[in-house]
Amino acid sequence: MSGGATAKTYTLPVGPVHVALEEPMYFRLDVEGEIVRGVELGAGHVHRGMEALALRRTLFQNIVLTERVCSLCSNSHPYTYCMAVENLAGMTVPERAQVLRVIAEEIKRISSHLFNVAVLAHIIGFKSLFMHVMEVREIMQDIKETVYGNRMDLAANCIGGVRYDLDEELTGYLLHGLDSVRGQVEGVHKIYSSDRMLLRRSRGVGVLGAADARELGVVGPVARGSGLELDVRHNAPYGGYALLGVEPVVERDGDVHSRAMVRLREIFVSIELIRRCVRELPGGPTTVLLPEIPAGEALARSEAPRGELVYFLRTDGTDVPNRLKWRVPSYMNWEALGRMMRDCRVSDIALIVNSIDPCISCTER
Amino acid sequence: MKRNPVLDPGLERELELLALRGGFRSSEDQAGNLFHWFRLGSPGDLPAAARLLAARGARLCTVTAYDPRREHDHPRHEVAYHFDCGGVLVTVTAALDEGEPRVPSIMTEFTNADWNERELAELYGIQVTDRPTPARLFLDESLERGAMDRVIPVSVLMNGASSSTLWERIMGERQDESGSLVVHEEERG
């Protein structure tokens, strides 16, 4: 049913607690028959005041705090935070540490993308595919646990370098795991490109055009799925990415399917990056000593799994920051839902929300 | 290796003119990425800076409000607007009036300023002019604006539902009910 004389206009609340939502967010939808005509967002259900907490902790303690902003991109937060401190102090991070940071970051990206793509299958009721993709992701979880000792928060970064190193045995395990993931993701990619049910549910759904994407300032796979070549690793290469070089993965259709394909294709890019890192891993130290942090302000940004992550740090000569602000990728992508859901079917809401890979813990901090 | 992008020289010059009173500088990270910092003479110059940046295709990354009171020993808010301009990060900072901190909206130039402006209004009590009154973003309407200006201990936030505050409240109530009960217990050690 789509509007017409018999259609009734009513308000449909979705959330903050709802079976289709992984985290709490409130959507007030104006619905006409089965079609969504308007969307209003209500946030704040998991606002924890973490930026206020950061101003009561030392620069060193904030590494631990920022790693707990969110679990899926938990490595990007301390990584970018450490870069902000390093930029402020003018520190030179050893090349080996820079490359090891890339490995940690790309391992997390593969896991995060697999999780999002799996949930897509879960939402459309393709349970066997969901279980299969989660099983592939499990290999990445095992890699994280083996290399870093933890399945989510890697604790890989410190100011001036990294807190881990790779020996021959760990490298062999990592490469073997990646070979296995690559083979399986090739099969997954084929299913997502050709399965008729999956294509019918995801193609032409939740479309965000390039002009809208540009106007709203969306980032990450949401921007790249709408044809924008926006990837910090490419546009403003930082740390180890400046040594390696990354080409952005772009899809043009701007729908749920495009965003999923960007994530799947990026997994191959990440695997190649890690292989290169391992092959070209420079020797030398993995960290430098922490100097006195002067008063001043600095910025740093990175490409987290969901897109551009920005950290702004302001210090006054003490060891406690005067201001630490972070802008997470999801923060930029929420408002695009209003455009994506315009005239969509009620049954596609969960699918569209998942397609921006939203992180509410990140957004609200 | 890829060459790092640089800021459009015309834009740089025009922003420098706006920041003549406040000052400007640039910095770079280890990989050679450039960061430009412009301090406006007045928050009233913000829309002009936003127009210049929008005309050059800049993207608003985020907005940071803060209160560097430890530097000045009295409240004085500043707001920093961070833009991506072709791979270069440009920060435009404005120091706000002490008595009545207010800043003009830049939503006309940057649609995505909406959430940022709503957040700085609720967290720092800064008034955003030239736009409809910003609705709360994260915090409930019942909470006073400017939450970041106050220290709110968790025990207070949770209405004494845990920690020593809960213990003290219960003991206080018991004392009110039965005179010197608490004193007796303390004396018994």
Side-chain angles (χ1 to χ4, degrees):
Chain A
M1 192 168 76
S2 61
T6 55
K8 235 170 82 182
T9 304
Y10 57 97
T11 303
L12 178 72
V14 176
V17 180
H18 191 277
V19 284
L21 297 172
E22 307 290 328
E23 289 181 87
M25 181 62 92
Y26 175 71
F27 298 91
R28 187 180 171 280
L29 306 165
D30 290 328
V31 178
E32 191 181 298
E34 217 183 272
I35 306 297
V36 176
R37 298 296 185 202
V39 184
E40 204 179 292
L41 289 177
H45 309 284
V46 286
H47 180 72
R48 290 151 291 163
M50 287 185 88
E51 284 182 8
L53 281 178
L55 307 189
R56 282 159 189 88
R57 277 159 174 73
T58 64
L59 290 161
F60 193 68
Q61 290 169 328
N62 274 321
I63 304 172
V64 179
L65 181 72
T66 51
E67 186 135 14
R68 277 139 189 87
V69 174
C70 144
S71 62
L72 284 164
C73 41
S74 61
N75 190 67
S76 303
H77 284 280
Y79 178 18
T80 320
Y81 165 69
C82 287
M83 282 198 293
V85 180
E86 289 151 9
N87 289 350
L88 183 64
M91 293 169 73
T92 303
V93 178
E95 279 194 0
R96 185 176 181 84
Q98 289 188 34
V99 175
L100 285 167
R101 280 177 170 180
V102 171
I103 294 175
E105 193 71 348
E106 296 307 316
I107 287 175
K108 286 288 288 184
R109 191 184 317 277
I110 297 170
S111 269
S112 178
H113 282 355
L114 282 172
F115 187 78
N116 177 263
V117 170
V119 175
L120 186 156
H122 167 69
I123 290 170
I124 64 170
F126 200 157
K127 301 295 180 198
S128 56
L129 181 61
F130 165 70
M131 295 298 284
H132 175 59
V133 180
M134 288 302 278
E135 211 178 342
V136 179
R137 177 179 177 266
E138 199 56 27
I139 303 171
M140 296 310 298
Q141 298 301 95
D142 287 344
I143 288 176
K144 286 191 268 180
E145 191 172 354
T146 307
V147 177
Y148 304 94
N150 205 334
R151 288 164 60 88
M152 290 312 281
D153 292 350
L154 309 183
N157 293 279
C158 63
I159 300 168
V162 286
R163 297 181 61 231
Y164 83 104
D165 207 347
L166 287 176
D167 59 19
E168 209 174 305
E169 193 184 358
L170 280 176
T171 305
Y173 180 83
L174 170 64
L175 291 176
H176 180 260
L178 288 178
D179 286 345
S180 174
V181 169
R182 192 187 159 90
Q184 303 217 40
V185 174
E186 273 169 11
V188 170
H189 181 265
K190 209 167 164 186
I191 297 172
Y192 278 79
S193 328
S194 60
D195 182 82
R196 283 172 61 198
M197 179 178 88
L198 212 146
L199 294 178
R200 212 166 42 239
R201 286 300 311 272
S202 60
R203 272 204 178 147
V205 174
V207 175
L208 181 74
D212 281 345
R214 206 169 286 116
E215 184 204 331
L216 294 169
V218 296
V219 294
V222 177
R224 294 193 286 279
S226 293
L228 305 190
E229 288 193 0
L230 206 62
D231 187 326
V232 187
R233 295 174 297 170
H234 173 77
N235 304 122
Y238 51 95
Y241 294 102
L243 308 169
L244 296 158
V246 181
E247 281 306 311
V249 172
V250 175
E251 294 275 339
R252 306 274 163 200
D253 293 340
D255 54 12
V256 169
H257 188 253
S258 288
R259 294 188 273 280
M261 293 315 279
V262 166
R263 293 189 183 99
L264 279 170
R265 287 173 54 204
E266 282 188 352
I267 292 173
F268 299 122
V269 175
S270 295
I271 291 173
E272 282 318 305
L273 264 177
I274 299 171
R275 282 178 177 164
R276 266 189 71 193
C277 286
V278 169
R279 250 193 337 262
E280 299 169 19
L281 188 62
T286 54
T287 188
V288 287
L289 286 176
L290 185 67
E292 198 167 309
I293 310 295
E297 50 192 6
L299 276 163
R301 60 177 168 166
S302 68
E303 186 70 24
R306 285 159 190 74
E308 180 196 61
L309 171 66
V310 182
Y311 266 73
F312 171 72
L313 172 68
R314 191 180 161 86
T315 54
D316 55 10
T318 68
D319 61 350
V320 177
N322 191 288
R323 181 74 165 107
L324 180 62
K325 158 82 186 245
W326 55 93
R327 204 290 335 279
V328 305
S330 291
Y331 196 93
M332 307 300 277
N333 294 341
W334 282 108
E335 288 199 277
L337 284 177
R339 310 272 172 105
M340 292 177 189
M341 286 189 191
R342 196 180 286 158
D343 301 332
C344 79
R345 286 177 304 177
V346 171
S347 54
D348 288 335
I349 291 169
L351 198 56
I352 297 172
V353 172
N354 178 68
S355 76
I356 69 162
D357 200 2
C359 182
I360 300 170
S361 311
C362 266
T363 307
E364 301 189 359
R365 294 154 279 138
Chain B
M1 198 187 289
K2 204 178 156 224
R3 258 189 84 212
N4 294 98
V6 292
L7 189 61
D8 178 288
L11 174 65
E12 188 177 353
R13 223 172 11 254
E14 285 173 282
L15 286 172
E16 281 174 1
L17 286 174
L18 280 177
L20 272 181
R21 268 200 294 153
F24 49 86
R25 67 183 177 89
S26 68
S27 58
E28 64 180 79
D29 67 10
Q30 195 181 339
N33 288 303
L34 283 168
F35 303 86
H36 286 266
W37 309 81
F38 300 93
R39 270 185 89 82
L40 298 177
S42 143
D45 292 335
L46 196 60
R51 276 194 295 275
L52 288 173
L53 285 151
R56 300 301 209 290
R59 176 172 56 86
L60 176 67
C61 290
T62 188
V63 181
T64 310
Y66 53 90
D67 175 9
R69 75 174 64 200
R70 284 197 308 236
E71 292 167 30
H72 306 284
D73 206 26
H74 56 83
R76 195 206 64 189
H77 291 98
E78 291 183 4
V79 185
Y81 293 75
H82 314 284
F83 300 88
D84 172 86
C85 210
V88 177
L89 279 176
V90 174
T91 300
V92 177
T93 307
L96 309 190
D97 182 62
E98 276 179 45
E100 204 174 353
R102 60 169 68 188
V103 70
S105 172
I106 57 164
M107 265 188 74
T108 321
E109 284 76 26
F110 297 96
T111 311
N112 64 349
D114 183 27
W115 275 36
N116 290 285
E117 290 178 354
R118 286 163 66 187
E119 192 175 355
L120 67 89
E122 70 181 12
L123 288 184
Y124 284 94
I126 295 167
Q127 208 185 327
V128 185
T129 58
D130 310 324
R131 63 165 283 167
T133 308
R136 287 293 172 97
L137 182 63
F138 296 136
L139 304 182
D140 191 77
E141 286 293 344
S142 63
L143 295 168
E144 200 186 323
R145 277 174 188 260
M148 286 287 275
D149 290 337
R150 306 190 300 275
V151 177
I152 309 172
V154 173
S155 52
V156 173
L157 196 71
M158 298 171 72
N159 196 22
S162 65
S163 76
S164 59
T165 311
L166 174 67
W167 177 248
E168 283 158 16
R169 184 159 56 84
I170 291 170
M171 292 312 285
E173 282 168 8
R174 282 183 66 184
Q175 191 174 16
D176 290 344
E177 283 168 15
S178 55
S180 56
L181 175 68
V182 179
V183 179
H184 288 313
E185 283 182 354
E186 278 173 0
E187 281 171 355
R188 270 208 311 264

